[in-house]
Amino acid sequence: IFLEAMSSAVAPIFGVLGSCMGCMIFVENIAKQEPAAMNLMTFSTFLFISTIGLVFTSKFFTVKNQIPLKGYVKTVSMFFIVNVVNNQALNYHVPVPLHIIFRSGSLLATLVLSVVLVGKSYSARKYISVIAITIGIVICTLATSSQGDSGLSMEEASKHYAEWSIGIAMLTFALLASAYLAICQQQMYEQYGKHPDEAMFITHFVSLPFFLIMGGDIVSASTKLSASAPYALLPWFPSLWVDLFASCVLQYGCIKYVYQLNSRVDSLTVTLVVTLRKFLSLIVSIVYFKNPFTAQHWVGAVLVFAGTLAFADIWGGQTSKKQVEKKNQ
């Protein structure tokens, strides 16, 4: 049974790794050339996923929702805030490698809010792993903040550091908001049942009107993308629009495959795959875009990812499983 489950999960696993890592390449390419296009990129992804869901999941609203719209209110609100804030942080000189590592620390925020809001308790191993993750993030953050450009004047350096600090504050807020989002989703599923395709469609579709708030920024970014260099294979088409479309397709695949993986294997395997994807995305970002990554960064990264695996009981999972089976027998 286990081998059958794993064989059925091979495609989703490679789908998660391939689509999520591929998406990061296009996202970082856009961020480097037009950092002000993050709102446009978020809106485009939401619009793409909503369109696919409208056609294939909702069938143009002819399929009745299993979860009432009122059940999505908190989830949609937090989902929109988390996505926008995370992408906006790239506008404030936050390097993508640090962005990836920082978001990998979501376990810390989840643990804190789960204890405070839900009253859960955790083993000593999980608390130790959270400490390791926190230390890793701090090390990487300090390493990145110390990478100053000697060519900057005092005034420019001060402005750069101020903007970078805003970006870090945004990522910190997004971590907490993301943890609260997970709690909202869990409560929604407990009340109405699990309907991942519908939830994926509704959370993106209902969020679209919120983008009217940043309509001016989206239009301005669209103009800048239209002025980008022509794409090699399509000389009449701006290259950044091609990158944007590719990122939307891959982001859709990434989310879709994660949902499929959840339905075929246990949460432990899903956590391992997602963690591996984050680490590989980090390596791609460093190698492909030649981002600076010092020994200090590596120490922090190892602590973050090792702590994440320890939190998920990757090393102790089999022992725990055997104990449960023995108890059942």
Side-chain angles (χ1 to χ4, degrees), residues 62-298:
T62 59
V63 177
K64 184 180 179 180
N65 285 348
Q66 300 297 314
I67 302 175
L69 289 179
K70 66 178 182 180
Y72 285 106
V73 173
K74 286 197 299 183
T75 302
V76 169
S77 301
M78 297 310 301
F79 182 75
F80 176 79
I81 291 171
V82 168
N83 277 274
V84 171
V85 173
N86 268 322
N87 282 334
Q88 277 295 301
L90 294 172
N91 287 344
Y92 293 90
H93 302 289
V94 176
V96 170
L98 179 61
H99 193 276
I100 295 171
I101 293 171
F102 214 99
R103 292 180 68 175
S104 298
S106 57
L107 285 175
L108 169 62
T110 302
L111 181 142
V112 172
L113 291 189
S114 294
V115 171
V116 174
L117 299 181
V118 186
K120 288 187 176 182
S121 60
Y122 295 94
S123 65
R125 167 181 283 189
K126 293 193 185 297
Y127 285 105
I128 293 173
S129 69
V130 165
I131 292 174
I133 292 169
T134 305
I135 293 174
I137 291 175
V138 170
I139 290 175
C140 287
T141 302
L142 293 176
T144 302
S145 66
S146 65
Q147 290 176 348
D149 189 341
S150 58
L152 295 177
S153 66
M154 284 295 292
E155 183 179 353
E156 291 173 330
S158 177
K159 179 182 178 182
H160 188 280
Y161 185 80
E163 292 183 349
W164 179 84
S165 299
I166 293 173
I168 294 300
M170 293 174 72
L171 286 179
T172 303
F173 171 80
L175 272 179
L176 295 173
S178 178
Y180 183 63
L181 169 63
I183 293 175
C184 292
Q185 289 175 327
Q186 181 180 350
Q187 292 174 341
M188 182 180 70
Y189 286 145
E190 287 174 353
Q191 184 174 356
Y192 300 104
K194 293 185 178 182
H195 305 283
D197 287 338
E198 177 189 306
M200 181 177 173
F201 165 61
I202 294 295
T203 50
H204 287 85
F205 182 79
V206 179
S207 298
L208 289 178
F210 289 107
F211 286 98
L212 290 173
I213 302 172
M214 52 196 74
D217 182 69
I218 292 174
V219 172
S220 175
S222 299
T223 304
K224 291 179 180 178
L225 259 64
S226 298
S228 62
Y231 186 62
L233 300 179
L234 303 170
W236 64 90
F237 206 79
S239 59
L240 287 185
W241 278 112
V242 176
D243 288 346
L244 182 62
F245 178 74
S247 71
C248 289
V249 173
L250 290 170
Q251 182 68 13
Y252 172 80
C254 178
I255 296 172
K256 186 72 174 178
Y257 280 121
V258 168
Y259 277 121
Q260 287 187 11
L261 194 60
N262 262 314
S263 67
R264 301 184 185 185
V265 297
D266 58 20
S267 58
L268 192 64
T269 306
V270 176
T271 302
L272 178 60
V273 173
V274 172
T275 302
L276 177 61
R277 186 267 299 176
K278 290 175 181 177
F279 186 75
L280 293 177
S281 295
L282 177 63
I283 300 300
V284 170
S285 177
I286 296 165
V287 175
Y288 189 83
F289 289 98
K290 296 181 174 58
N291 281 308
F293 210 74
T294 64
Q296 193 174 350
H297 281 97
W298 277 115

